[in-house]
Amino acid sequence: MLEQLLIHRPEEPIPFMIDHLQQNNDNVPKIVVLGPPAAGKTTIAMWLCKHLNSNLLTKENLIAREFSSLAAGAGGHYQKTKPVPSALLVKLIQERLREQDCVKRGWILDGIPETREQAVTIQTLGVIPRHVVRETEDKLLVTGVTCLDPLPNVPASPSPFLCAVVLSAPDTVLIERNLGKRIDPQTGEIYHTTFDWPPESDIQNRLMVPTGISELETAQKLLEYHRNIVRILPLYPKILKVISADQPCVDVFYQALTYVQTNHRSNAPFTPRVLLCGPVGSGKSLQAALLAQKYSLVNVCCGQLLKEAVADKSSYGEGIQPFFEKEMAVPDNVVISTLCQRLNQLDCIQKGWVLHGFPRDLDQARMLNRTDHRPNRVFFLNVPLESIIERVTLRRTDPVTGERYHLMYKPPPTMEIQARLLQNPKDSEEQVRLQLDLFYRHCAELGHFYEQAIMLNGDQDPYSVFEYVESGIINPLPRKVP
């Protein structure tokens, strides 16, 4: 929103911000795909458009729009001299981007801007790329991909910010590839005589040779492109991404898709409010301790917090103690009041916190969400049942020293110590299975409630798990397509 305020400088900023919030389109795709003739930019643009459920904008479909006086005027230029004046093309883009489908679902510009003049003018409209991908290659076989075929195993995608994808290839490869291009007049799909010839005979019979693909015409277009692209790219000095396209076309697309989905880190102050979810024995306490140690976060264990309140004989503790004495669950409203009292303290506000042991179900999650203490990072630590049983049931405590051991991972140093070790009744296999059953009963609901939660494999070295947790805190969260 601040970026849009700086760009548009509205005379009435409050109505402008209200309208901006109502549009709710900060996270829709806004992508520019550039490249020389036959580099595959239309294929990549169509594939991105299909995957992101966005709108594809090309010079041709902008000019062909009905009920637009600007499009009619541009069509006259396009038929007579081919090039459309830059000012007119930018106005066409501006007119199209104001329509509701572009506002709600975003857009992908294919082959625009063509010149530095267009790029600068478009930027003044607020179209400022935050990513630029440039592909370098020897043999990029992208043009022949049938864009309407389903992509294999493409994950649900977070919504990308505005970005630009630049494709490049040696001129000799582009000229050779262009000569083999064929187009289906009914569907608009592009085929290639070498790389992507359709198996159906009826499609083969109706394929046509596009105009303007001769060797001389392609060479002239490449010369014009190279003259312009070297003046366009410096407008994006810090966000240019180089991708080698000397690999299968699907891999090239995946890399481009991954990059356009990446959000740049913000320099704005960020106070971590981390929530760790997972069953007993998943390592929540250890990960919380590591985070607290490295980043000076306040380690808030809900169960320990309740015990401390009772020990301190505070007003909250007096309400909790009867439930402890009767070994009953503490009511949610008492737990949330005690928790909020801790999170409201100055150290939690200034340093941030890492919370574990709460919430355990959907109702508790909703109660926490209604407070001023919503987590901004949520992690689910997933560990198989067998590993949890092994982790928890083999825990032991030395009643003399209070030292904690694990019969497999941290065995006692002497037989004398081992002989006096005791097991907490809560660590018996029967009790562990009961706790696991309770956790997994509510796990799915919690996962749906925290849509941006990061799922981690907790069944590995704890420091490897910590690296993933740390990465999830430091890097921006992916944003999902509405």
Side-chain angles (χ1 to χ4, degrees), residues 129-242:
R130 297 181 182 175
H131 310 73
V132 176
V133 180
R134 182 167 188 172
E135 298 191 33
T136 59
E137 63 203 283
D138 291 325
K139 295 180 181 178
L140 172 60
L141 309 184
V142 174
T143 305
V145 177
T146 303
C147 304
L148 299 182
D149 290 343
L151 289 173
N153 301 321
V154 178
S157 55
S159 182
F161 283 104
L162 180 60
C163 58
V165 180
V166 181
L167 314 180
S168 70
D171 288 356
T172 53
V173 173
L174 295 172
I175 292 173
E176 180 183 355
R177 186 186 308 158
N178 216 24
L179 291 173
K181 186 185 296 184
R182 298 294 183 269
I183 189 167
D184 185 339
Q186 290 188 11
T187 65
E189 292 186 38
I190 298 173
Y191 295 91
H192 196 277
T193 55
T194 303
F195 307 131
D196 184 39
W197 191 244
E200 299 86 353
S201 59
D202 56 335
I203 297 179
Q204 295 176 8
N205 294 332
R206 68 172 182 252
L207 292 183
M208 299 177 60
V209 179
T211 59
I213 65 169
S214 69
E215 183 172 346
L216 179 60
E217 289 172 307
T218 303
Q220 291 175 340
K221 292 177 182 177
L222 286 170
L223 182 63
E224 181 70 18
Y225 170 81
H226 291 310
R227 185 182 298 125
N228 287 312
I229 195 65
V230 294
R231 301 182 66 239
I232 294 174
L233 294 183
L235 295 174
Y236 319 120
K238 297 181 180 180
I239 52 176
L240 185 65
K241 175 71 173 179
V242 177

Side-chain angles (χ1 to χ4, degrees), residues 31 35 44 71 111 126 266 285 351 384 465:
I31 302 171
I44 294 297
S266 169
S285 299
K351 298 178 180 179
V465 177

Side-chain angles (χ1 to χ4, degrees), residues 31-35 41-42 44-45 48 108-112 164-165 167:
I31 302 171
V32 175
V33 181
L34 301 176
K41 59 181 180 294
T42 299
I44 294 297
L48 289 172
I108 298 175
L109 278 175
D110 174 16
I112 305 171
V165 180
L167 314 180

Side-chain angles (χ1 to χ4, degrees), residues 418-434:
Q418 182 170 347
R420 67 176 185 242
L421 294 181
L422 299 176
Q423 183 186 42
N424 189 321
K426 293 182 179 179
D427 292 344
S428 68
E429 183 171 341
E430 181 182 1
Q431 290 296 316
V432 171
R433 289 184 180 276
L434 286 174

